[in-house]
Amino acid sequence: MTFEYAQRIKRLPPYLFAEIEKKIKEKKALGVDLISLSIGDPDLPPPKFVIEAFKAEAANPKNHNYSFSQGEPDFREAVTGWYKKRFNVDLAPDQVVALLGSKEGIANVARAFVNPGELVLVPDPSYPVYANGSTILCDGKVGLMPLLEENGFQPDFEAVNPSGAKMMFLNYPNNPTASIADKKSLEKAVDFAKDNKIILCYDNAYSEITYDSYRAPSILEVDGAMDVAIEFHSLSKTFNMTGDRIGFAVGNKQLVCGLAKVKSQIDSGPPVYTQKVAVKALAAYKDKEPPEFLRKNNQILQERRDLLVETLCKIGYKCDKPKATFYAWANCKGDSMKFAAKLLDAGVAVTPGIGFGKCGEGYIRMTFTQPKERIVEASERISSAF
Ligand SMILES: Cc1ncc(COP(=O)(O)O)c(C=O)c1O
């Protein structure tokens, strides 16, 4: 017996990473030693104190009941404390909702505010969940905002038609382009959202993965942002905890509460012990500066970044050294699928830019979430392939 998928499932494009994973599996089955620079999952471990906190909190029988659907009170306090220290942003605990990773919140926020057929503005290229998991799965309509190299991979708001838009996603430090936004461009985004009464969903998942002394801002630092914005954050990248599924959304109270309302009908929040671990993890910040382990973590990533980007430049492909994220976004001067296929044959898996949207064509994304010796080996393979 077969059952028909709902129309919204049929409207989903194929999951980019699933396609790539399938090809990688096939190569591996043939015994090829592939180096995967395609998935953004850190190879570095969580800090030791986080592992210890997990042991202690999971061992406490009191931490195995249902959580409050908006999140444990001490978790929400820890998040408000972190925002004050890190961004000098004042939040009340009811402006925080705990998430099962930021992806979950990004997907659910549209359910709270977007009616069938309503327009959601999504950057092109972008993290696929904004268009798919969020907009399409709640029957919204995707309106693309091109991110072009000549504009520093920022939307040109003068060219964006806001008519009928209910919600907009923005993400800096950016996946996949690794570009960053300065305060001025965030101010433009907030003004655009306010002028056109658009909910601004700001994905700040990579704010802590930064290099060369760069510190990423929060959209909530911008005057007036609290009127229109909800910001998504996560411990996934900051603490190398991608599998632990703990994140949060903060900002405008009505937006946060709308998301919490949807979630209360779907899940019962992250496990209490995970939230307790997150409280201890966030407490590692004594002020706005990154704690010791994060500085070391980013130093390791920075060394890999330099290796990879220098290789690409040496063989003639334009790629800026990113100030944040663990992605290199290289101009491959043509068909990104063909370029990725050529590298796959050389034993290196990368992500074709077209997988992140039409404007991603002509680029490839490479992650530096592999040990240094594998990055060196990958660089050698890439060099000899060209
Ligand atoms: C831009 C961006 N936002 C959000 C996420 C989701 O992260 P998590 O759900 O682990 O918090 C990712 C993961 O790769 C990402 O690249």
Side-chain angles (χ1 to χ4, degrees), residues 17 40 100-104 106 127 130 171 173-175 203-206 233-237 241-242 245-247 326-327 365:
F17 301 133
L100 294 149
S102 58
K103 182 180 187 178
E104 174 265 301
I106 289 164
Y127 180 54
Y130 312 138
N171 160 231
N174 185 261
N175 175 17
D203 180 355
N204 211 352
Y206 293 93
H233 231 296
S234 170
L235 281 83
S236 287
K237 322 286 176 179
M241 290 168 66
T242 49
R245 312 313 300 137
I246 179 79
F326 35 61
Y327 304 112
R365 193 196 73 175

Side-chain angles (χ1 to χ4, degrees), residues 12 88 105 146 173 185 211 224 264 276 323:
L12 284 176
N88 198 24
S185 68
Y211 315 111
S264 70
K276 305 267 182 209
K323 291 259 180 258

Side-chain angles (χ1 to χ4, degrees), residues 291-305:
E292 178 66 15
F293 88 88
L294 188 59
R295 254 180 286 146
K296 286 188 183 151
N297 193 83
N298 289 350
Q299 192 56 47
I300 294 170
L301 292 173
Q302 185 170 324
E303 225 184 292
R304 299 171 181 181
R305 172 200 73 169

